[in-house]
Amino acid sequence: MALGSSLDNHTDFLILGFQTLYQFRIVLFTSFLILYILTVSGNLIIFVLIMSSNLLTSPMYFFLCNLSLSESLFTTNIAPNMLEVLLRNGSTMTIPGCFLQFYLFGLFAVNESFLLTVMSYDRFLAICNPLHYASVMNTYTCRYLTTCCWLGAFLIMLVTLSFMSRLKFCKQNMIDHFFCDIAPVLKLSCSDTTTIEMVISLLSSAATLFPFLFIIVTYGCIIRAIFRIPSSKGKEKAFSTCSSHLGVVTTYYTTLIMVYVVPTQGHSLIVNKCLSLLYTVVTPLVNPVIYTLRNKEIKIAFRRKLEILNQHIYSLYK
């Protein structure tokens, strides 16, 4: 297929990927494949563990369960196609397929942003208002907040997709990225993109900047409440319950805001690709590692599941 072919005759985009790193494609392919397997395995283990364990029934684990599921789907939407692009030094994708990938990417990314916000609210109630925590953060509230996260992400991306569907594409069909992100797609359009750029900027702020500011405010209240705790042991316990979530939030929102909220004129394509790799590949892998290594209850539940599995295997071969 000719790189400059007209989209009047070809309804495909050409995803270029990492053209300058073609000589390292085998090493990169192997590395990203291992990261993808570890990411999906780690998040699914947490999801199954929380769903099947009687020890992990608090609201925090309910939200973490949804977060792990969302991240597994988020990574699966990007990584397999990225591996194909990397191995073949480019890959074609139909326009509807490209729009679908971006829609799912945005859906899971926005949902994760909202879930992290809800988790910060949960920690705020637990530490700043512990006496009313159980009555406020009940089963109904947890399900309601989670449903709002998924539904809000669905509606935001539905609006974005409705504007994208009006775009027209003429001759250029090369996307200099490893997936169908919004910025390189808009560059290919021969339509006036002023309106959709404004809409995306507003929706990006609503989905990332405002939740991030909300998290900053809640953690300001949390830190102030922790310093009021008289015992050093109580302070340490309170900090330990928040440090994992705060680390994930910092990494996730910093990269998203730099790519989608801050004006991108000064960003090079290499910088955008590196930032995109950070939140599409690295962050989903780091999250289960952070939550698992710093959470004693998850460790205990995991050991018990391993003991039950070992006993089951032993009884089969006995």
Side-chain angles (χ1 to χ4, degrees):
M1 173 182 176
L3 296 185
S5 58
S6 171
L7 292 185
D8 293 333
N9 299 321
H10 301 276
T11 57
D12 292 343
F13 285 141
L14 180 63
I15 315 295
L16 297 180
F18 308 92
Q19 297 280 316
T20 57
L21 300 175
Y22 181 69
Q23 62 270 31
F24 304 108
R25 68 187 185 283
I26 301 301
V27 175
L28 292 174
F29 176 86
T30 305
S31 301
F32 288 147
L33 178 61
I34 293 173
L35 288 175
Y36 171 61
I37 293 172
L38 290 175
T39 298
V40 174
S41 300
N43 280 291
L44 288 181
I45 286 173
I46 291 179
F47 175 79
V48 173
L49 196 62
I50 294 174
M51 291 291 291
S52 61
S53 176
N54 294 326
L55 298 174
L56 309 175
T57 57
S58 68
M60 179 180 67
Y61 294 116
F62 179 78
F63 298 133
L64 180 57
C65 180
N66 278 270
L67 183 66
S68 297
L69 176 61
S70 183
E71 287 192 330
S72 297
L73 297 173
F74 175 81
T75 306
T76 301
N77 177 54
I78 300 294
N81 182 255
M82 181 186 70
L83 292 172
E84 180 188 1
V85 170
L86 188 61
L87 193 62
R88 299 176 57 186
N89 198 33
S91 177
T92 59
M93 182 180 292
T94 64
I95 294 179
C98 181
F99 284 7
L100 177 61
Q101 185 187 49
F102 173 72
Y103 175 82
L104 293 176
F105 159 77
L107 172 65
F108 299 130
V110 173
N111 179 57
E112 182 170 349
S113 175
F114 290 162
L115 284 173
L116 289 173
T117 307
V118 168
M119 291 172 75
S120 73
Y121 177 65
D122 173 73
R123 292 299 86 204
F124 167 79
L125 289 177
I127 295 175
C128 299
N129 199 4
L131 296 179
H132 297 91
Y133 175 73
S135 60
V136 174
M137 196 59 69
N138 51 41
T139 303
Y140 172 80
T141 304
C142 291
R143 292 177 178 175
Y144 174 78
L145 290 174
T146 305
T147 302
C148 287
C149 290
W150 286 95
L151 185 60
F154 172 80
L155 293 176
I156 285 177
M157 290 310 300
L158 190 63
V159 172
T160 304
L161 189 63
S162 67
F163 279 91
M164 288 182 66
S165 64
R166 302 173 188 175
L167 295 175
K168 294 181 180 180
F169 301 93
C170 302
K171 293 183 178 181
Q172 294 299 320
N173 69 332
M174 293 180 291
I175 295 180
D176 193 2
H177 212 315
F178 58 87
F179 74 100
C180 281
D181 204 358
I182 184 64
V185 170
L186 290 180
K187 288 181 179 179
L188 297 182
S189 177
C190 50
S191 307
D192 181 7
T193 61
T194 305
T195 301
I196 187 172
E197 286 177 357
M198 182 179 65
V199 170
I200 289 173
S201 179
L202 291 173
L203 293 178
S204 298
S205 297
T208 57
L209 189 58
F210 293 150
F212 185 54
L213 294 175
F214 177 84
I215 292 174
I216 291 176
V217 172
T218 56
Y219 267 96
C221 297
I222 289 171
I223 292 173
R224 187 172 59 181
I226 289 176
F227 280 122
R228 291 176 181 173
I229 299 175
S231 66
S232 58
K233 189 175 182 180
K235 290 180 180 179
E236 183 180 351
K237 183 179 180 181
F239 270 120
S240 66
T241 61
C242 300
S243 58
S244 300
H245 178 255
L246 191 58
V248 170
V249 163
T250 302
T251 304
Y252 185 75
Y253 279 105
T254 300
T255 52
L256 280 185
I257 290 173
M258 288 180 67
V259 175
Y260 295 104
V261 179
V262 176
T264 58
Q265 282 79 5
H267 291 181
S268 67
L269 290 171
I270 296 176
V271 171
N272 277 339
K273 287 181 185 179
C274 291
L275 290 172
S276 299
L277 278 174
L278 188 60
Y279 65 76
T280 57
V281 177
V282 179
T283 303
L285 173 63
V286 170
N287 289 2
V289 173
I290 292 177
Y291 282 114
T292 302
L293 293 180
R294 298 185 61 87
N295 193 295
K296 294 180 180 179
E297 292 177 330
I298 288 183
K299 290 180 182 178
I300 293 172
F302 186 67
R303 290 194 194 102
R304 289 192 179 182
K305 290 297 180 182
L306 286 179
E307 290 174 358
I308 294 173
L309 181 61
N310 289 334
Q311 291 175 0
H312 181 67
I313 294 174
Y314 178 76
S315 63
L316 292 175
Y317 291 94
K318 187 175 179 181

